[in-house]
Amino acid sequence: MSRSAHPAGPRHADVLPEGHYSAPPTDLNVLDEKVWARTVARNDDGAVTVGGIEVTRLAEEFGTPAYFLDEADFRARCRAWADAFGKDADVFYAGKAFLSRAVVKWLYEEGLNLDVCSGGELTTALDAGMPADRIAFHGNNKSEEEIERAVSVGVGRIVLDSFQEIVRVAHTAQRLGKRQRVQIRVTVGVEAHTHEFIATAHEDQKFGIPLAGGQAAEAVRRTLRLDGVELIGIHSHIGSQIFDTSGFEVAAHRVVRLLAEIRDEHGIELPEIDLGGGLGIAYTSDDDPREPHDIAKALNEIVTRECEAAKLRTPRISVEPGRAIVGPTAFTLYEVGTIKPLDGLRTYVSVDGGMSDNIRTALYDAEYSVALVSRTSDAAPMLARVVGKHCESGDIVVKDAFLPADLAPGDLIAVPATGAYCRSMASNYNHALRPPVVAVKDGEARVIVRRETEEDLLRLDVG
Ligand code: LLP
């Protein structure tokens, strides 16, 4: 993800400061299709359209800031993942990336399953009609109520994350007269090359049960002893925004070794292996994500090879992409409010949203792109920092990016690849009203999550 400083290219100040940016693009009006949703284009008048609708019209109708989600792109990505893995594997969309009832319906129609990690996500999934047996329930500290609900509605699997949970789920299921299908989430000790906060398979963190020291093997022993649970497989999720499959290779190797140990000790071959999600997407032109077909091929080969070596039947594989499906399908549209050129540094462009609709830059040092979308411009590129309207200097949406030097208040700018972990991690900081999500398809736009209102804020504040 790292980019080197490039003090090159025209600008209204002569020297560019140090920063994480590439050389300015030769034409700021060109939209790199790598980072934009599939139906995004510029029309003959220079205005950007999505699903055939001009963003200026969308801003008028739905206001800013707002997330616009390209439904055709979302569906195409679901199909690409389902096709890539085929009928002998299962794709679970990770709902934490972005979940709404419309999205659940699309997933269902495109043949995907759903991974949820809270009672709220479970409610949304069930309310939208996702069959419970196509839902996996995750979480490192599921409450008794969440477990009881998940078991009673009959979720397809609960992914066990601790020794306490093995007993909790087994007892709840037994009390309800059920046998719950479960997987055990293990930590394989892989260092994923991503930000520390989104890496999850090294041992010193809260998720999963370590393979190290025989803890995972002990978890298997305890699970197999309890009647309320049926152990169907082992789960591993190594982290997020990962671009190469070498981490998965190590994870698969270690999980398969555990499967072989289980066979040797208990005489059973577990039928499933889940390799989690985590595949990266392009946030900027410098990122090169892999296609689902490539990923599926690589993961299938890795698991098959490891199983052959261990003389095991190849288990059914499942994966849980979240970001790779929804991330690229949406952009956030903002209106420019103020512009402050700081000589020798950069120009601060304040927009009408900020860290309340995209916390990723502040939290993970994430990089994003940005473009002027309400018109074209032939002005020189200026190094800009897009900031929000919150009372915090870390309220940065795009750290370093080039925008045309004639940018003016009232212009609309858009930040692509904000479909994942932006609306789902949005907050009400400074009593900001969380933006709507508007689905756009074939010339039609409809709100799928409405904008919050001040009445919503006051409703929670009971006085
Ligand atoms: N499966 C499990 C068990 C997970 O914990 C996650 C993500 C996924 C699948 C989906 O990962 P994805 O394919 O979306 O990378 N808020 C952070 C990401 C946190 C991911 C948490 N777990 C961010 O904005 O980058």
Side-chain angles (χ1 to χ4, degrees), residues 28 79 197 234 291 329 351 372 440:
L28 284 172
R79 284 196 295 276
F197 289 179
I234 301 296
E291 289 300 316
T329 68
V351 295
L372 169 63
V440 187

PDB file of all heavy atoms in Angstrom, residues 28 79 197 234 291 329 351 372 440:
ATOM      1  N   LEU A  28      -6.669  14.875 -14.915  1.00  0.00           N
ATOM      2  CA  LEU A  28      -7.470  14.664 -13.700  1.00  0.00           C
ATOM      3  C   LEU A  28      -8.917  14.284 -14.010  1.00  0.00           C
ATOM      4  O   LEU A  28      -9.655  13.857 -13.131  1.00  0.00           O
ATOM      5  CB  LEU A  28      -7.471  15.941 -12.856  1.00  0.00           C
ATOM      6  CG  LEU A  28      -6.200  16.245 -12.065  1.00  0.00           C
ATOM      7  CD1 LEU A  28      -6.286  17.619 -11.435  1.00  0.00           C
ATOM      8  CD2 LEU A  28      -5.981  15.200 -10.986  1.00  0.00           C
ATOM      9  N   ARG A  79     -21.904 -12.697  -8.294  1.00  0.00           N
ATOM     10  CA  ARG A  79     -21.897 -13.805  -9.268  1.00  0.00           C
ATOM     11  C   ARG A  79     -20.478 -14.255  -9.565  1.00  0.00           C
ATOM     12  O   ARG A  79     -20.207 -15.446  -9.683  1.00  0.00           O
ATOM     13  CB  ARG A  79     -22.591 -13.388 -10.567  1.00  0.00           C
ATOM     14  CG  ARG A  79     -24.112 -13.358 -10.440  1.00  0.00           C
ATOM     15  CD  ARG A  79     -24.754 -13.319 -11.809  1.00  0.00           C
ATOM     16  NE  ARG A  79     -24.455 -12.091 -12.535  1.00  0.00           N
ATOM     17  CZ  ARG A  79     -25.114 -10.947 -12.399  1.00  0.00           C
ATOM     18  NH1 ARG A  79     -26.140 -10.874 -11.552  1.00  0.00           N
ATOM     19  NH2 ARG A  79     -24.788  -9.886 -13.088  1.00  0.00           N
ATOM     20  N   PHE A 197      -4.498  -3.359  13.064  1.00  0.00           N
ATOM     21  CA  PHE A 197      -5.858  -3.461  13.583  1.00  0.00           C
ATOM     22  C   PHE A 197      -6.745  -4.369  12.743  1.00  0.00           C
ATOM     23  O   PHE A 197      -7.843  -4.720  13.160  1.00  0.00           O
ATOM     24  CB  PHE A 197      -6.518  -2.074  13.653  1.00  0.00           C
ATOM     25  CG  PHE A 197      -5.947  -1.193  14.721  1.00  0.00           C
ATOM     26  CD1 PHE A 197      -6.439   0.098  14.893  1.00  0.00           C
ATOM     27  CD2 PHE A 197      -4.934  -1.639  15.559  1.00  0.00           C
ATOM     28  CE1 PHE A 197      -5.912   0.930  15.866  1.00  0.00           C
ATOM     29  CE2 PHE A 197      -4.393  -0.812  16.533  1.00  0.00           C
ATOM     30  CZ  PHE A 197      -4.888   0.486  16.685  1.00  0.00           C
ATOM     31  N   ILE A 234     -13.155 -26.410  10.501  1.00  0.00           N
ATOM     32  CA  ILE A 234     -12.231 -25.470  11.132  1.00  0.00           C
ATOM     33  C   ILE A 234     -12.240 -24.181  10.321  1.00  0.00           C
ATOM     34  O   ILE A 234     -12.297 -24.215   9.085  1.00  0.00           O
ATOM     35  CB  ILE A 234     -10.794 -26.060  11.163  1.00  0.00           C
ATOM     36  CG1 ILE A 234     -10.775 -27.382  11.946  1.00  0.00           C
ATOM     37  CG2 ILE A 234      -9.794 -25.055  11.747  1.00  0.00           C
ATOM     38  CD1 ILE A 234     -11.116 -27.261  13.428  1.00  0.00           C
ATOM     39  N   GLU A 291      -8.397 -11.179  -9.196  1.00  0.00           N
ATOM     40  CA  GLU A 291      -9.769 -11.514  -9.577  1.00  0.00           C
ATOM     41  C   GLU A 291     -10.241 -12.738  -8.785  1.00  0.00           C
ATOM     42  O   GLU A 291      -9.434 -13.626  -8.470  1.00  0.00           O
ATOM     43  CB  GLU A 291      -9.820 -11.843 -11.070  1.00  0.00           C
ATOM     44  CG  GLU A 291      -9.623 -10.660 -11.980  1.00  0.00           C
ATOM     45  CD  GLU A 291     -10.689  -9.592 -11.775  1.00  0.00           C
ATOM     46  OE1 GLU A 291     -11.878  -9.953 -11.673  1.00  0.00           O
ATOM     47  OE2 GLU A 291     -10.340  -8.408 -11.683  1.00  0.00           O
ATOM     48  N   THR A 329     -18.074  -1.092  -5.063  1.00  0.00           N
ATOM     49  CA  THR A 329     -19.356  -0.790  -5.720  1.00  0.00           C
ATOM     50  C   THR A 329     -19.945   0.570  -5.332  1.00  0.00           C
ATOM     51  O   THR A 329     -20.951   0.977  -5.892  1.00  0.00           O
ATOM     52  CB  THR A 329     -20.414  -1.874  -5.411  1.00  0.00           C
ATOM     53  OG1 THR A 329     -20.747  -1.798  -4.017  1.00  0.00           O
ATOM     54  CG2 THR A 329     -19.905  -3.262  -5.746  1.00  0.00           C
ATOM     55  N   VAL A 351     -15.126  19.187   3.224  1.00  0.00           N
ATOM     56  CA  VAL A 351     -16.392  18.722   2.658  1.00  0.00           C
ATOM     57  C   VAL A 351     -17.441  18.596   3.753  1.00  0.00           C
ATOM     58  O   VAL A 351     -17.141  18.767   4.941  1.00  0.00           O
ATOM     59  CB  VAL A 351     -16.198  17.364   1.943  1.00  0.00           C
ATOM     60  CG1 VAL A 351     -15.291  17.516   0.733  1.00  0.00           C
ATOM     61  CG2 VAL A 351     -15.658  16.303   2.909  1.00  0.00           C
ATOM     62  N   LEU A 372     -13.037  15.312  -8.875  1.00  0.00           N
ATOM     63  CA  LEU A 372     -14.092  16.306  -9.101  1.00  0.00           C
ATOM     64  C   LEU A 372     -15.081  15.664 -10.071  1.00  0.00           C
ATOM     65  O   LEU A 372     -14.684  15.209 -11.148  1.00  0.00           O
ATOM     66  CB  LEU A 372     -13.455  17.555  -9.733  1.00  0.00           C
ATOM     67  CG  LEU A 372     -14.413  18.614 -10.286  1.00  0.00           C
ATOM     68  CD1 LEU A 372     -15.279  19.221  -9.186  1.00  0.00           C
ATOM     69  CD2 LEU A 372     -13.617  19.735 -10.987  1.00  0.00           C
ATOM     70  N   VAL A 440     -28.223   2.568  -7.148  1.00  0.00           N
ATOM     71  CA  VAL A 440     -28.476   3.089  -8.494  1.00  0.00           C
ATOM     72  C   VAL A 440     -28.365   1.936  -9.482  1.00  0.00           C
ATOM     73  O   VAL A 440     -27.427   1.136  -9.411  1.00  0.00           O
ATOM     74  CB  VAL A 440     -27.435   4.175  -8.850  1.00  0.00           C
ATOM     75  CG1 VAL A 440     -27.793   4.838 -10.171  1.00  0.00           C
ATOM     76  CG2 VAL A 440     -27.347   5.212  -7.755  1.00  0.00           C
TER      77      VAL A 440
END
